Amino acid sequence: EISACLVGSEMCIRDSFSYCTQAASRTRLAAKSSEEVLMPDIGRVNRLTVSRQSPAGFYLDGGDLGDIFLSRKNAPENCQIGDIVDGFIHHHSDGSLIASSKTPLAQLGDVALLKIAQINDTGAFLDWGLDKELLLPYAEHMGEITAGKKALVKIYLDKSYRIVASMKLDEFIEDTAPHLSRGQRFDVIVAGKTELGYKAVIDNGYWGLLYDSDLIRPLRKGETLTAYVKKAVSYTHLRAHETGRNL
């Protein structure tokens, strides 16, 4: 196990570890709950009913979203009308909604370390486990990026309701977590090294700090850990279990 300390409620921001959101932060549609997007959830896996079929595939009942096309290639084996399937809803290149029985490496609202598959005039495209790659617009880049490398991104809906990614995590991640309580469990993803230790994202929505003095080994960017609150004070103490992995 790794003993760790994570920034929690009543967080004290130091000059060497300042991740405050800039005053001019743009309005975002980064969903933290299903209430922030239409139902069913675009960018998430949903349980939907097969309502009809065509030679090319099937149509799922998307409620207010209308029929959502599921190609035979992306449908479960022996799919039939009336079946209930788990489908990930995203956009086709023509803007229409489509579904896939494949689950991507990360979904809407997640922070994830994803491989940069290619870069063109539109931006970078990330491999997130689906045939259609995830767009990382140029406006959402930070620093130089290279195809074949990985980028830590937040997945969100832009103003046009497109599923896209951003490297500008400070515009999405909050500095305080007033709901922390003793014994509470968190999924933590390591974001990078600081003078004090490692900054980390808690539950895809809050900044934290893992102190070097509390760790028994170096951590890697993109590594995930399960952490538990030990003490809810200015710097909330956690115990992070050794279940890390790279995405």
Side-chain angles (χ1 to χ4, degrees):
E1 293 182 341
I2 302 174
S3 292
C5 183
L6 193 66
V7 177
S9 56
E10 303 178 38
M11 185 171 81
C12 178
I13 300 294
R14 302 183 181 182
D15 291 339
S16 60
F17 185 61
S18 181
Y19 302 109
C20 294
T21 303
Q22 299 301 313
S25 293
R26 290 164 291 166
T27 301
R28 298 292 191 168
L29 294 171
K32 293 179 184 177
S33 72
S34 59
E35 295 179 356
E36 298 181 33
V37 294
L38 295 172
M39 291 295 291
D41 296 337
I42 299 172
R44 306 291 301 183
V45 173
N46 297 264
R47 183 153 288 185
L48 304 172
T49 301
V50 179
S51 59
R52 59 191 177 93
Q53 64 179 319
S54 71
F58 303 89
Y59 289 88
L60 308 179
D61 182 2
D64 292 341
L65 298 181
D67 287 342
I68 299 172
F69 181 67
L70 174 66
S71 68
R72 292 189 181 276
K73 174 185 176 182
N74 289 312
E77 189 176 356
N78 300 320
C79 189
Q80 297 179 7
I81 294 175
D83 286 354
I84 297 176
V85 300
D86 290 328
F88 177 78
I89 300 177
H90 59 115
H91 292 95
H92 189 270
S93 55
D94 64 7
S96 63
L97 288 176
I98 58 176
S100 173
S101 60
K102 296 179 182 177
T103 300
L105 299 175
Q107 301 184 50
L108 183 69
D110 291 347
V111 174
L113 188 70
L114 300 174
K115 184 178 180 179
I116 301 169
Q118 60 172 311
I119 303 172
N120 60 26
D121 293 340
T122 304
F125 289 84
L126 308 178
D127 179 5
W128 62 333
L130 300 179
D131 295 336
K132 185 176 184 289
E133 293 163 340
L134 177 65
L135 173 63
L136 173 61
Y138 276 113
E140 303 302 325
H141 292 189
M142 287 190 66
E144 294 185 11
I145 62 171
T146 305
K149 301 293 186 180
K150 292 185 177 182
L152 190 67
V153 298
K154 176 80 171 184
I155 301 175
Y156 72 102
L157 288 178
D158 68 7
K159 293 179 179 180
S160 299
Y161 277 87
R162 298 181 306 168
I163 306 170
V164 294
S166 176
M167 297 175 68
K168 298 180 178 181
L169 299 185
D170 284 339
E171 297 189 8
F172 301 93
I173 309 303
E174 298 181 19
D175 293 316
T176 59
H179 61 286
L180 293 181
S181 59
R182 183 180 177 86
Q184 193 168 352
R185 173 177 171 169
F186 296 100
D187 289 326
V188 177
I189 184 168
V190 177
K193 192 73 176 70
T194 73
E195 294 180 1
L196 300 176
Y198 296 87
K199 61 178 180 178
V201 180
I202 314 161
D203 277 355
N204 297 305
Y206 304 94
W207 280 123
L209 179 63
L210 297 156
Y211 284 107
D212 278 331
S213 58
D214 294 320
L215 300 173
I216 61 174
R217 63 166 178 84
L219 302 178
R220 300 181 299 276
K221 184 176 182 178
E223 183 174 356
T224 60
L225 302 168
T226 298
Y228 296 85
V229 176
K230 292 173 61 180
K231 203 180 288 186
V233 293
S234 294
Y235 286 95
T236 303
H237 296 279
L238 304 175
R239 183 170 298 277
H241 287 269
E242 190 70 277
T243 56
R245 55 183 171 84
N246 275 329
L247 296 176

